[in-house]
Amino acid sequence: MIKRETYMSRIRPFIGNDLVKVLTGIRRSGKSVMLDLIKEELCASGADSSQFISINFENMSNAHLCTAAALHDEIIRRAAEIKGKVYLFFDEIQGSGRMGKMHQFLPRRTGLRIFISPVPMPNCFLANWATYLAGRYVEFVIYPFSFAEFIELYHTACPDADIRQCFSKYLTAGGMPYLANLRYDETASRQYLRDLFNSVELKDVVKRNNIRDVDMLERIISYVTSNIGTTFSSTAISKYLKSEGRSVSPETVLGYIRACTEAFLFYQVKRQDLQ
């Protein structure tokens, strides 16, 4: 397991305080692993694993915690059995049902430390709960592996690969952590990345934004990905699509791109040369 010291160095100063630590990022970027790394850090600094309350909301055994009241009662019950500080780890948490009145018990119990990894769409998550957590949370965006991290894992599969070969593979395969489990096999990697992309597009863009014109969305995604590193505007995309026989307003284009950005499918690099 990669230690990901770049992120740990940012999180470490906040581990011991009462701010809610929110880890966000694209699907499968390693947020759950970061929670495990934080647990290791805590144990190394003297905490005991018995002080941890970990709840993964993708696990069906936790389905009964689908309401704020049930989650509240579960945390209070389990925290009462722990001496000293209590560390909460919520993985894949989402929606008002599970987070509704979290503010009633998270910051008010002395010695409570909270770490949250919500489902993708952190902007939506934080917008919903900013009223409750205003001034009481800090966000860390977890990205896929950097090139340095990629090299470390790629050498486990191809120990003789030189720096040029590593960089070539990084350019074509990217830094999604699970690729190491596939030993960076080209066919398997492409299949995995294709399925992951479809999952992000359908679940985090189409479904969460109630997009009906999926064909239009895919055309916009295709345009943006074909123009990575160049400057373009929503108006330019609108004109291009019109030439392709699809009429769409610049505002709609901008809304689709914003939805993709919130799902971490795109990352906007703003211009620095504007007067």
Side-chain angles (χ1 to χ4, degrees), residues 238-261:
S238 178
K239 291 180 179 179
Y240 167 78
L241 292 173
K242 187 175 182 179
S243 70
E244 294 286 306
R246 292 301 311 270
S247 180
V248 60
S249 68
E251 291 75 18
T252 300
V253 171
L254 198 60
Y256 281 12
I257 292 178
R258 185 180 298 111
C260 292
T261 302

mmCIF file of all heavy atoms in Angstrom, residues 238-261:
data_model
loop_
_atom_site.group_PDB
_atom_site.id
_atom_site.type_symbol
_atom_site.label_atom_id
_atom_site.label_comp_id
_atom_site.label_asym_id
_atom_site.label_seq_id
_atom_site.Cartn_x
_atom_site.Cartn_y
_atom_site.Cartn_z
ATOM 1 N N SER A 238 -20.940 25.222 -28.502
ATOM 2 C CA SER A 238 -22.307 25.354 -29.008
ATOM 3 C C SER A 238 -22.314 25.502 -30.527
ATOM 4 O O SER A 238 -23.127 24.864 -31.223
ATOM 5 C CB SER A 238 -22.992 26.559 -28.355
ATOM 6 O OG SER A 238 -24.286 26.734 -28.866
ATOM 7 N N LYS A 239 -21.416 26.311 -31.054
ATOM 8 C CA LYS A 239 -21.333 26.502 -32.507
ATOM 9 C C LYS A 239 -20.882 25.221 -33.198
ATOM 10 O O LYS A 239 -21.393 24.871 -34.274
ATOM 11 C CB LYS A 239 -20.375 27.649 -32.823
ATOM 12 C CG LYS A 239 -20.886 29.022 -32.423
ATOM 13 C CD LYS A 239 -19.882 30.107 -32.775
ATOM 14 C CE LYS A 239 -20.429 31.492 -32.391
ATOM 15 N NZ LYS A 239 -19.448 32.572 -32.709
ATOM 16 N N TYR A 240 -19.944 24.523 -32.584
ATOM 17 C CA TYR A 240 -19.466 23.265 -33.178
ATOM 18 C C TYR A 240 -20.596 22.242 -33.251
ATOM 19 O O TYR A 240 -20.800 21.591 -34.280
ATOM 20 C CB TYR A 240 -18.302 22.706 -32.358
ATOM 21 C CG TYR A 240 -17.948 21.285 -32.702
ATOM 22 C CD1 TYR A 240 -17.214 20.986 -33.844
ATOM 23 C CD2 TYR A 240 -18.376 20.227 -31.898
ATOM 24 C CE1 TYR A 240 -16.898 19.675 -34.173
ATOM 25 C CE2 TYR A 240 -18.068 18.914 -32.214
ATOM 26 C CZ TYR A 240 -17.330 18.638 -33.354
ATOM 27 O OH TYR A 240 -17.035 17.340 -33.688
ATOM 28 N N LEU A 241 -21.353 22.100 -32.168
ATOM 29 C CA LEU A 241 -22.444 21.135 -32.142
ATOM 30 C C LEU A 241 -23.544 21.515 -33.128
ATOM 31 O O LEU A 241 -24.193 20.646 -33.720
ATOM 32 C CB LEU A 241 -23.008 21.019 -30.727
ATOM 33 C CG LEU A 241 -22.063 20.378 -29.696
ATOM 34 C CD1 LEU A 241 -22.655 20.471 -28.295
ATOM 35 C CD2 LEU A 241 -21.793 18.927 -30.056
ATOM 36 N N LYS A 242 -23.747 22.817 -33.318
ATOM 37 C CA LYS A 242 -24.740 23.262 -34.297
ATOM 38 C C LYS A 242 -24.338 22.844 -35.699
ATOM 39 O O LYS A 242 -25.193 22.451 -36.515
ATOM 40 C CB LYS A 242 -24.892 24.782 -34.222
ATOM 41 C CG LYS A 242 -26.020 25.331 -35.095
ATOM 42 C CD LYS A 242 -26.203 26.817 -34.900
ATOM 43 C CE LYS A 242 -27.374 27.334 -35.738
ATOM 44 N NZ LYS A 242 -27.581 28.805 -35.547
ATOM 45 N N SER A 243 -23.015 22.906 -35.986
ATOM 46 C CA SER A 243 -22.533 22.460 -37.295
ATOM 47 C C SER A 243 -22.680 20.956 -37.473
ATOM 48 O O SER A 243 -22.694 20.454 -38.600
ATOM 49 C CB SER A 243 -21.059 22.851 -37.464
ATOM 50 O OG SER A 243 -20.218 22.079 -36.609
ATOM 51 N N GLU A 244 -22.805 20.247 -36.343
ATOM 52 C CA GLU A 244 -23.013 18.807 -36.378
ATOM 53 C C GLU A 244 -24.500 18.442 -36.388
ATOM 54 O O GLU A 244 -24.856 17.262 -36.323
ATOM 55 C CB GLU A 244 -22.357 18.163 -35.154
ATOM 56 C CG GLU A 244 -20.847 18.263 -35.113
ATOM 57 C CD GLU A 244 -20.193 17.322 -36.117
ATOM 58 O OE1 GLU A 244 -20.501 16.118 -36.077
ATOM 59 O OE2 GLU A 244 -19.382 17.806 -36.938
ATOM 60 N N GLY A 245 -25.343 19.452 -36.441
ATOM 61 C CA GLY A 245 -26.774 19.192 -36.495
ATOM 62 C C GLY A 245 -27.455 19.104 -35.144
ATOM 63 O O GLY A 245 -28.617 18.694 -35.048
ATOM 64 N N ARG A 246 -26.760 19.487 -34.059
ATOM 65 C CA ARG A 246 -27.349 19.469 -32.719
ATOM 66 C C ARG A 246 -27.336 20.880 -32.160
ATOM 67 O O ARG A 246 -26.281 21.478 -31.974
ATOM 68 C CB ARG A 246 -26.570 18.537 -31.790
ATOM 69 C CG ARG A 246 -26.663 17.056 -32.125
ATOM 70 C CD ARG A 246 -28.101 16.546 -32.101
ATOM 71 N NE ARG A 246 -28.816 16.919 -30.901
ATOM 72 C CZ ARG A 246 -28.838 16.181 -29.789
ATOM 73 N NH1 ARG A 246 -28.185 15.035 -29.731
ATOM 74 N NH2 ARG A 246 -29.531 16.578 -28.742
ATOM 75 N N SER A 247 -28.495 21.413 -31.879
ATOM 76 C CA SER A 247 -28.608 22.769 -31.363
ATOM 77 C C SER A 247 -28.646 22.744 -29.842
ATOM 78 O O SER A 247 -29.442 22.024 -29.231
ATOM 79 C CB SER A 247 -29.880 23.428 -31.906
ATOM 80 O OG SER A 247 -30.014 24.747 -31.415
ATOM 81 N N VAL A 248 -27.770 23.517 -29.222
ATOM 82 C CA VAL A 248 -27.710 23.592 -27.772
ATOM 83 C C VAL A 248 -27.174 24.970 -27.386
ATOM 84 O O VAL A 248 -26.298 25.527 -28.054
ATOM 85 C CB VAL A 248 -26.806 22.477 -27.194
ATOM 86 C CG1 VAL A 248 -25.389 22.587 -27.731
ATOM 87 C CG2 VAL A 248 -26.808 22.506 -25.673
ATOM 88 N N SER A 249 -27.692 25.530 -26.314
ATOM 89 C CA SER A 249 -27.271 26.856 -25.886
ATOM 90 C C SER A 249 -25.951 26.784 -25.133
ATOM 91 O O SER A 249 -25.636 25.756 -24.521
ATOM 92 C CB SER A 249 -28.337 27.484 -24.986
ATOM 93 O OG SER A 249 -28.413 26.788 -23.744
ATOM 94 N N PRO A 250 -25.178 27.860 -25.152
ATOM 95 C CA PRO A 250 -23.928 27.895 -24.377
ATOM 96 C C PRO A 250 -24.160 27.655 -22.884
ATOM 97 O O PRO A 250 -23.315 27.062 -22.214
ATOM 98 C CB PRO A 250 -23.389 29.301 -24.646
ATOM 99 C CG PRO A 250 -23.969 29.690 -25.966
ATOM 100 C CD PRO A 250 -25.340 29.074 -25.983
ATOM 101 N N GLU A 251 -25.297 28.106 -22.366
ATOM 102 C CA GLU A 251 -25.602 27.902 -20.945
ATOM 103 C C GLU A 251 -25.758 26.417 -20.625
ATOM 104 O O GLU A 251 -25.296 25.947 -19.573
ATOM 105 C CB GLU A 251 -26.879 28.658 -20.567
ATOM 106 C CG GLU A 251 -26.749 30.169 -20.577
ATOM 107 C CD GLU A 251 -26.723 30.758 -21.992
ATOM 108 O OE1 GLU A 251 -27.140 30.042 -22.943
ATOM 109 O OE2 GLU A 251 -26.296 31.917 -22.147
ATOM 110 N N THR A 252 -26.403 25.686 -21.531
ATOM 111 C CA THR A 252 -26.564 24.240 -21.329
ATOM 112 C C THR A 252 -25.217 23.549 -21.393
ATOM 113 O O THR A 252 -24.927 22.652 -20.590
ATOM 114 C CB THR A 252 -27.514 23.654 -22.387
ATOM 115 O OG1 THR A 252 -28.795 24.279 -22.274
ATOM 116 C CG2 THR A 252 -27.679 22.148 -22.187
ATOM 117 N N VAL A 253 -24.386 23.943 -22.340
ATOM 118 C CA VAL A 253 -23.034 23.370 -22.456
ATOM 119 C C VAL A 253 -22.263 23.603 -21.165
ATOM 120 O O VAL A 253 -21.617 22.697 -20.622
ATOM 121 C CB VAL A 253 -22.278 23.998 -23.651
ATOM 122 C CG1 VAL A 253 -20.811 23.567 -23.627
ATOM 123 C CG2 VAL A 253 -22.927 23.599 -24.961
ATOM 124 N N LEU A 254 -22.351 24.827 -20.657
ATOM 125 C CA LEU A 254 -21.635 25.169 -19.433
ATOM 126 C C LEU A 254 -22.145 24.336 -18.258
ATOM 127 O O LEU A 254 -21.368 23.886 -17.410
ATOM 128 C CB LEU A 254 -21.816 26.660 -19.140
ATOM 129 C CG LEU A 254 -20.821 27.301 -18.170
ATOM 130 C CD1 LEU A 254 -19.410 27.173 -18.697
ATOM 131 C CD2 LEU A 254 -21.173 28.761 -17.948
ATOM 132 N N GLY A 255 -23.448 24.099 -18.208
ATOM 133 C CA GLY A 255 -24.024 23.285 -17.150
ATOM 134 C C GLY A 255 -23.538 21.846 -17.212
ATOM 135 O O GLY A 255 -23.235 21.239 -16.175
ATOM 136 N N TYR A 256 -23.432 21.284 -18.411
ATOM 137 C CA TYR A 256 -22.948 19.912 -18.572
ATOM 138 C C TYR A 256 -21.478 19.807 -18.160
ATOM 139 O O TYR A 256 -21.072 18.847 -17.498
ATOM 140 C CB TYR A 256 -23.119 19.451 -20.019
ATOM 141 C CG TYR A 256 -24.530 19.024 -20.381
ATOM 142 C CD1 TYR A 256 -25.600 19.282 -19.533
ATOM 143 C CD2 TYR A 256 -24.801 18.372 -21.574
ATOM 144 C CE1 TYR A 256 -26.892 18.907 -19.859
ATOM 145 C CE2 TYR A 256 -26.087 17.975 -21.915
ATOM 146 C CZ TYR A 256 -27.130 18.248 -21.047
ATOM 147 O OH TYR A 256 -28.400 17.858 -21.360
ATOM 148 N N ILE A 257 -20.686 20.795 -18.560
ATOM 149 C CA ILE A 257 -19.272 20.784 -18.199
ATOM 150 C C ILE A 257 -19.101 20.930 -16.696
ATOM 151 O O ILE A 257 -18.247 20.270 -16.083
ATOM 152 C CB ILE A 257 -18.517 21.910 -18.942
ATOM 153 C CG1 ILE A 257 -18.476 21.614 -20.443
ATOM 154 C CG2 ILE A 257 -17.100 22.056 -18.393
ATOM 155 C CD1 ILE A 257 -17.804 22.699 -21.265
ATOM 156 N N ARG A 258 -19.931 21.765 -16.085
ATOM 157 C CA ARG A 258 -19.864 21.945 -14.633
ATOM 158 C C ARG A 258 -20.192 20.630 -13.922
ATOM 159 O O ARG A 258 -19.547 20.270 -12.930
ATOM 160 C CB ARG A 258 -20.832 23.034 -14.187
ATOM 161 C CG ARG A 258 -20.732 23.366 -12.696
ATOM 162 C CD ARG A 258 -21.703 24.460 -12.298
ATOM 163 N NE ARG A 258 -21.427 25.703 -13.003
ATOM 164 C CZ ARG A 258 -22.219 26.233 -13.933
ATOM 165 N NH1 ARG A 258 -23.345 25.596 -14.273
ATOM 166 N NH2 ARG A 258 -21.911 27.361 -14.522
ATOM 167 N N ALA A 259 -21.178 19.898 -14.433
ATOM 168 C CA ALA A 259 -21.540 18.610 -13.839
ATOM 169 C C ALA A 259 -20.385 17.623 -13.930
ATOM 170 O O ALA A 259 -20.114 16.866 -12.991
ATOM 171 C CB ALA A 259 -22.778 18.043 -14.539
ATOM 172 N N CYS A 260 -19.674 17.638 -15.050
ATOM 173 C CA CYS A 260 -18.511 16.751 -15.225
ATOM 174 C C CYS A 260 -17.368 17.153 -14.302
ATOM 175 O O CYS A 260 -16.660 16.297 -13.764
ATOM 176 C CB CYS A 260 -18.044 16.774 -16.677
ATOM 177 S SG CYS A 260 -19.192 16.038 -17.859
ATOM 178 N N THR A 261 -17.208 18.447 -14.102
ATOM 179 C CA THR A 261 -16.150 18.941 -13.218
ATOM 180 C C THR A 261 -16.446 18.562 -11.772
ATOM 181 O O THR A 261 -15.538 18.175 -11.026
ATOM 182 C CB THR A 261 -16.015 20.466 -13.353
ATOM 183 O OG1 THR A 261 -15.743 20.805 -14.717
ATOM 184 C CG2 THR A 261 -14.881 20.985 -12.478
#
